[in-house]
Amino acid sequence: MFTRRPYSDIVRSHNTTLEEVLETLADAKESLITDAMRAEIGKESSEWTCEVDKLAVRMFARSVGHQDPVYYDEAAAKAAGYRSLPCPPGYLGTSVFNPATSDSTFGGRRGEGPGPQPSRPLTRILNGGTDIEYMDDICAGDVLTAKSHLAQLEERTGSIGDMLISTNKTVYTNQNGKVVAISTGTGIRY
Amino acid sequence: MAVKWDEVSEGMELPTLKKNCSTQQLVQWAAGSGDFYQIHYDKDFAMGTGLSNIIVHGALKNAFLGQLVHDWIGNQGRIKKYGCSYRGMDYPNEDIICKGIVRKKYQEGAEKLVDLEVWTENPKGQKTTPGTATVVLN
């Protein structure tokens, strides 16, 4: 049975930190993350193609509300030192649509099956965030090859209950073989 | 006018970018981004999933923060990295105020770098999309 002792006493007697105590308590519950899920970390997806063309750059820029002419007028883009219309921040080309393999809602490659599932069912999903690192300009005319992998799995308990937080990284390589961007997406299942 | 390196100081605020999405803008974004998920333009569908209304795409708010930074640095500067977390929902016809502040100004080799804290604020003043950016101002 549980014997109540002052918390400070536990910390002192085990020479441990609050975080370590909480981790130990969390470990007592079965992890959402199974070995099969862990085995997926780092596995590279098959690659897909993202085209960057003037029409799409203009459409993206217009929908955001960009005012800078470099996103619309090729002469202005060249005068500013770009090869053609540059990608506005957040735009990394459009996945080439294939009715047989693309997702009809999101346009991207359809998932390759649901993959290994967590130890307890989680039915809802949230987009947790997006981070992009740029290594070079991406301009209309570029053809990017994208490849993604699961980088990290974490679990946390929050106000919405148990959460499985997965971090996916997608690496974009241009037609010259140069890695031009890496995007990191966070997905939360709960 | 784009900011110049000499003008940048830590604690400096970026000019605010005010957005307020019409449903038309959300449809334009659906086409521009390729994300046609109905919770962003079909109110019946959105409510059927338990939402109170159509919601603004997270990635659109990410792009707004990109515009905030781009407009500040102009085409002489370059975004090295930027990103944000989607903490709260935003709705059409409500202000989304994009803000930023300079957290660090430093040099690494030949690169003149600035770290920014960026975020969007809803009409209640809540930060619904907190993020960071690093820009090069050479």
Side-chain angles (χ1 to χ4, degrees):
Chain A
M1 285 300 291
F2 185 70
T3 318
R4 196 173 293 277
R5 274 195 297 162
Y7 177 70
S8 56
D9 201 67
I10 301 175
V11 172
R12 253 197 311 277
S13 65
H14 297 283
N15 190 25
T16 183
T17 64
L18 172 59
E19 256 177 36
E20 283 165 340
V21 171
L22 292 176
E23 266 173 33
T24 312
L25 291 173
D27 285 348
K29 203 156 83 172
E30 190 195 3
S31 174
L32 279 172
I33 304 165
T34 64
D35 289 343
M37 287 164 71
R38 265 183 240 284
E40 294 297 307
I41 295 172
K43 274 190 199 166
E44 286 209 319
S45 70
S46 52
E47 52 186 48
W48 71 97
T49 303
C50 295
E51 283 179 348
V52 182
D53 63 26
K54 288 191 273 189
L55 172 75
V57 167
R58 289 192 187 103
M59 199 152 76
F60 187 97
R62 176 183 168 198
S63 72
V64 176
H66 274 286
Q67 302 296 310
D68 191 335
V70 297
Y71 298 127
Y72 305 95
D73 175 354
E74 198 166 29
K78 286 184 174 167
Y82 299 107
R83 286 169 280 124
S84 178
L85 306 183
C87 280
Y91 182 61
L92 292 167
T94 302
S95 303
V96 173
F97 193 83
N98 177 339
T101 57
S102 298
D103 185 278
S104 64
T105 294
F106 297 101
R109 197 177 38 110
R110 259 202 304 267
E112 289 162 351
Q117 291 300 300
S119 63
R120 294 188 293 285
L122 301 171
T123 53
R124 291 167 184 267
I125 189 155
L126 284 174
N127 186 350
T130 313
D131 282 272
I132 304 174
E133 186 181 355
Y134 291 101
M135 288 78 179
D136 207 344
D137 290 337
I138 307 169
C139 294
D142 288 352
V143 179
L144 308 179
T145 301
K147 234 185 209 187
S148 70
H149 67 272
L150 176 65
Q152 204 188 342
L153 286 173
E154 261 185 282
E155 57 192 310
R156 256 184 245 163
T157 303
S159 56
I160 52 176
D162 291 341
M163 297 184 283
L164 174 68
I165 302 160
S166 49
T167 307
N168 271 282
K169 281 192 186 291
T170 305
V171 178
Y172 295 84
T173 306
N174 72 9
Q175 63 278 12
N176 302 319
K178 181 169 187 196
V179 174
V180 287
I182 299 175
S183 78
T184 305
T186 310
I188 302 169
R189 291 175 63 186
Y190 65 102
Chain B
M1 278 298 287
V3 73
K4 293 186 178 64
W5 172 254
D6 293 339
E7 300 164 353
V8 176
S9 60
E10 291 176 6
M12 178 182 184
E13 288 178 18
L14 274 63
T16 294
L17 176 68
K18 188 179 144 181
K19 296 288 184 180
N20 187 308
C21 301
S22 59
T23 50
Q24 180 190 53
Q25 183 170 15
L26 299 185
V27 170
Q28 287 177 336
W29 171 263
S33 69
D35 176 355
F36 288 94
Y37 192 25
Q38 298 92 319
I39 59 169
H40 303 297
Y41 57 85
D42 180 339
K43 193 168 180 175
D44 290 343
F45 184 97
M47 291 176 77
T49 69
L51 294 166
S52 62
N53 194 353
I54 287 166
I55 59 168
V56 175
H57 300 72
L60 176 55
K61 294 189 281 177
N62 178 68
F64 286 161
L65 292 174
Q67 184 186 353
L68 171 84
V69 175
H70 173 80
D71 288 352
W72 187 61
I73 62 175
N75 291 296
Q76 297 300 310
R78 190 168 64 76
I79 296 177
K80 205 175 160 72
K81 60 182 175 188
Y82 94 104
C84 60
S85 303
Y86 307 125
R87 293 280 170 78
M89 293 175 197
D90 284 278
Y91 302 95
N93 307 311
E94 282 187 7
D95 284 352
I96 297 173
I97 312 291
C98 307
K99 295 183 176 181
I101 189 164
V102 174
R103 286 299 177 209
K104 194 177 167 196
K105 178 182 178 179
Y106 56 108
Q107 295 202 29
E108 261 178 25
E111 284 189 325
K112 293 175 172 167
L113 300 164
V114 180
D115 287 349
L116 303 169
E117 184 185 338
V118 294
W119 67 93
T120 68
E121 251 174 53
N122 68 13
K124 291 177 187 154
Q126 295 161 328
K127 292 185 181 185
T128 55
T129 324
T132 56
T134 299
V135 297
V136 186
L137 289 179
N138 277 352

